[in-house]
Amino acid sequence: LAEILKAEGYQTQAFVSADVLHRRFNLDQGFDGYDDQTEREVKGSPAEMRERPGERTMDRVLHWLGERTKSAAPFPFFLWVHLRDPHAPYEPPEADAKLAATPSDGEITSADRQIGRLVKALDTNGELDDTILVFTSDHGESLGEHREATHAMFIYEATQHVPLIFRYPPKLPAGRVSNAPARSVDI
C-alpha cells in the first residue's frame, strides 16, 4: 500500500512500537520514513523483544504531523501508526491504570487516549474529515478463556475477533455497522 500511494504522490510515513515490525524485515518498503526506534525490553519476552510505549510513539507522530503542516504545500499522506499496547505484559501508565478495572483495560484506555490525540491533531489541522482513518488490531486476547492468558497456539474466537473501524465522513455514514465477515487483507 505504501508503494502504491507513494507512486501516486503521497508522503508515506510509519511509526511502529515493537521490534517485530523492525525495518530489518523489509517492512519499510515504500515508506519515505520508517520510525522503528524502540526504548525498552519487554519483560519475559523471547529473543530480547523491544518496544516503545504508545505515548512516546504518538509524541513522534504528532511531531511529524506538526512539521508536515508547516510545509508550504503539504502532500497528501499515508500514515501507519502502530501501538503495541494493549499487549501482555500489561503495564499501563499509572493514570490509565487508575481508570481501569484490570491492567489489560488500562492499556486499552491508554491506546484509546493516544488515538484521541491523533484525531485531535488532525481536527486542529483541518484534515480530520479529509482523512480516511482505519483502526484495527492483529489479534485479540483470551484473557483466561480456554486456559490461555493471552494469545498462544490455538485459534479461538477471542483471539480472532478484532476491531475494524473506518472513519471517512464524505463516503462512510457514521454509526453504520456491517455484520459481514471481514479480514485484515480486505482493508
Side-chain angles (χ1 to χ4, degrees), residues 45-154:
S45 70
E48 299 178 12
M49 161 99 129
R50 296 181 57 79
E51 69 177 1
R52 175 173 52 198
E55 184 172 9
R56 292 224 220 350
T57 297
M58 193 57 69
D59 288 346
R60 295 172 79 97
V61 169
L62 298 181
H63 177 78
W64 179 83
L65 275 175
E67 292 299 311
R68 183 190 159 280
T69 303
K70 291 177 189 175
S71 171
F75 292 96
F77 66 94
F78 169 66
L79 175 62
W80 174 28
V81 179
H82 165 262
L83 303 177
R84 186 173 187 277
D85 25 1
H87 207 284
Y90 303 112
E91 297 173 338
E94 187 175 330
D96 297 319
K98 288 179 182 178
L99 297 172
T102 68
S104 172
D105 291 339
E107 286 207 356
I108 292 168
T109 299
S110 180
D112 182 65
R113 188 166 46 83
Q114 298 314 316
I115 293 165
R117 291 175 64 201
L118 175 60
V119 168
K120 182 178 178 182
L122 291 168
D123 191 30
T124 298
N125 293 348
E127 297 177 302
L128 180 60
D129 287 343
D130 294 325
T131 301
I132 299 171
L133 293 175
V134 180
F135 173 80
T136 192
S137 179
D138 58 342
H139 59 78
E141 298 283 5
S142 288
L143 300 175
E145 288 183 34
H146 306 285
R147 291 184 240 158
E148 278 193 318
T150 61
H151 61 283
M153 302 182 323
F154 303 108

